[in-house]
Amino acid sequence: MAEVRVDSFAISIDGFAAGPGQSLDDPLGAGGIALHDWFRPTRAFQRHVLGQQVGESGVDDDFAARGFDGIGAWILGRNMFSPSRGAWPDDGWRGWWGDEPPYHCDVFVLSHHARAPLAMAGGTTFHFVTDGPEAALALARDAAGGADVRIGGGAATIRQFLQAGTIDRLHLAVAPVLLGRGESLLAGLDLPALGYRVTRSVPGARAMHVLIDRVSGA
């Protein structure tokens, strides 16, 4: 059965998904780039994001690769697509990833401001959804055609879907980093009360991989 998943989402030991002071030049905030030190060396990152046939194998790569398997559509918060706020500026911005993003399917971007769909090389089309997370999920499920839907972040977007109980499986890559401040992923969320349980934890070379599942019937 198709699932709604969060995969390879990196947080610090103290629970932050980004550091303070996010900007165009520093999109993950102060120290935030270190959260992804586990991901960049993997074969999955090199293949899916950079188009290279190199990289490390092992536990970290196994988890990274699973995050791309069986995905039929993605959902992103606006700032996972663009650093701008408010009405869309006429600045030619087409995402953080160049002309060929690593999604290769329909991607639904949550926004308060309408924008025409944006088709990119490699089969990615960004759709900008102004009706909220529930509407985005319905559109993504339909576009996925029976495959899984991946919630790509950021933290605020994942929190909305967790609060609604619509995420079936959450894979956190806990990096050996302390940020102290920034954008917290889980603060204030009572995951057990929302029906979530830790089902597995596996140490990798550069991160601890934690799987959190929604209990059936919760």
Side-chain angles (χ1 to χ4, degrees):
M1 183 176 178
E3 292 186 326
V4 178
R5 296 159 38 190
V6 174
D7 288 286
S8 302
F9 196 78
I11 63 171
S12 63
I13 289 175
D14 47 352
F16 294 101
Q22 292 172 273
S23 66
L24 178 60
D25 294 329
D26 196 4
L28 294 174
I33 191 67
L35 298 176
H36 301 275
D37 285 349
W38 76 275
F39 185 46
R40 290 190 299 274
T42 65
R43 288 182 181 178
F45 175 86
Q46 296 293 322
R47 181 172 67 255
H48 290 283
V49 179
L50 301 182
Q52 304 293 321
Q53 299 300 317
V54 295
E56 299 177 0
S57 58
V59 171
D60 291 338
D61 180 59
D62 290 343
F63 277 98
R66 289 171 195 163
F68 291 97
D69 290 342
I71 302 298
W74 289 64
I75 296 174
L76 303 177
R78 170 165 171 165
N79 295 130
M80 293 292 290
F81 173 81
S82 168
S84 66
R85 304 291 197 275
W88 292 101
D90 186 16
D91 61 359
W93 182 267
R94 294 168 63 85
W96 299 101
W97 316 272
D99 291 332
E100 186 171 346
Y103 303 107
H104 308 295
C105 61
D106 289 303
V107 180
F108 297 87
V109 180
L110 297 170
S111 176
H112 294 296
H113 300 272
R115 177 174 173 167
L118 176 61
M120 304 286 285
T124 297
T125 298
F126 293 104
H127 306 270
F128 302 91
V129 181
T130 58
D131 295 332
E134 186 176 345
L137 182 55
L139 291 168
R141 286 187 191 275
D142 185 60
D148 290 348
V149 173
R150 179 169 169 178
I151 312 294
T157 296
I158 292 173
R159 288 171 62 86
Q160 289 181 74
F161 284 101
L162 284 171
Q163 189 68 57
T166 48
I167 291 173
D168 297 301
R169 174 164 296 188
L170 176 69
H171 163 219
L172 298 179
V174 183
V177 174
L178 290 169
L179 293 182
R181 296 181 297 135
E183 189 170 6
S184 176
L185 177 65
L186 300 176
L189 288 180
D190 188 342
L191 290 187
L194 291 169
Y196 291 96
R197 302 288 185 272
V198 174
T199 55
R200 189 181 179 201
S201 62
V202 182
R206 294 182 175 87
M208 171 65 73
H209 301 278
V210 180
L211 292 179
I212 300 172
D213 290 358
R214 190 169 70 87
V215 177
S216 178

